[in-house]
Amino acid sequence: MKVVLAATLFATASAFVPSNAPKFGTSLNLKQDFLEYTPYHDHSQVKVNTYKNKAPFTGKVVSTKRIVGPQATGETCHIIIDHNGDFPYIEGQSWGVIPPGTREKDGKPHAVRLYSIASSRYGDDMTGKTGSLCVRRATYWCPELKADDPAKKGICSNFLCDTNPGDEIMMTGPAGKVMLM
């Protein structure tokens, strides 16, 4: 009985070890190298501020999902944006988002808000044509009302968390060359 059990465990465990595993340090030549820099540490060709406020990029929302549990304080959403490969970025950069509408105080367009890009340069679908943001909805708890004060909610974070698939987002960037990975 013990011999059969040991033989079964060994056979099961060996199923997880590839028989022809490459040695450590061997290049695997995977498809995901099409966005790499050569040499990998040379970031001199990294694109910065390709799209600006006066000529922003229009991205299309693929999905918006709440990523915290129902009992969590606040709300954080994962927003996947399709850029069709026309808005390349690398890890450590940010996107600027221009919320729709105008400011109440002076009627000017809302200012750009920067958000760190949450996906790798290959995006969420590994094609290099999407990117994602993780955004916490900004709200203000009013102690007098004992509720969220809608007059003081975050303009851009609420816009992003309320987006639906197919919605368009005006974007700037990519920004940043200091925190590159």
Side-chain angles (χ1 to χ4, degrees):
M1 177 78 169
K2 289 182 181 179
V3 173
V4 172
L5 181 60
T8 305
L9 288 174
F10 178 74
T12 306
S14 65
F16 294 105
V17 179
S19 59
N20 56 353
K23 291 184 179 181
F24 182 79
T26 303
S27 175
L28 299 177
N29 295 324
L30 298 175
K31 285 184 178 180
Q32 288 84 19
D33 64 355
F34 60 95
L35 293 173
E36 297 297 325
Y37 291 91
T38 304
Y40 72 91
H41 55 79
D42 180 14
H43 292 146
S44 62
Q45 301 301 315
V46 172
K47 306 268 191 241
V48 178
N49 297 323
T50 307
Y51 297 95
K52 302 184 189 248
N53 296 18
K54 295 189 189 249
F57 179 82
T58 304
K60 195 166 281 209
V61 174
V62 175
S63 71
T64 302
K65 295 188 181 191
R66 180 183 168 109
I67 58 172
V68 293
Q71 303 300 320
T73 56
E75 178 181 14
T76 302
C77 295
H78 180 245
I79 301 116
I80 299 175
I81 302 165
D82 181 9
H83 59 77
N84 204 29
D86 297 329
F87 201 172
Y89 61 89
I90 69 167
E91 298 82 356
Q93 289 189 300
S94 301
W95 277 338
V97 177
I98 305 171
T102 56
R103 299 185 297 206
E104 290 181 19
K105 65 180 182 181
D106 59 9
K108 292 183 179 179
H110 291 293
V112 171
R113 271 65 165 196
L114 287 177
Y115 292 92
S116 295
I117 302 169
S119 55
S120 75
R121 66 189 82 184
Y122 300 108
D124 293 87
D125 59 359
M126 298 306 286
T127 64
K129 296 181 179 182
T130 65
S132 62
L133 302 174
C134 288
V135 178
R136 181 181 169 110
R137 186 185 295 269
T139 58
Y140 172 77
W141 178 263
C142 179
E144 295 170 3
L145 297 173
K146 296 194 184 322
D148 285 335
D149 185 349
K152 296 181 181 175
K153 68 179 186 175
I155 301 293
C156 198
S157 66
N158 279 274
F159 160 69
L160 288 169
C161 288
D162 291 337
T163 57
N164 295 307
D167 289 352
E168 292 185 342
I169 297 177
M170 304 304 283
M171 302 165 55
T172 65
K177 214 169 178 180
V178 175
M179 300 290 291
L180 302 179
M181 295 183 202

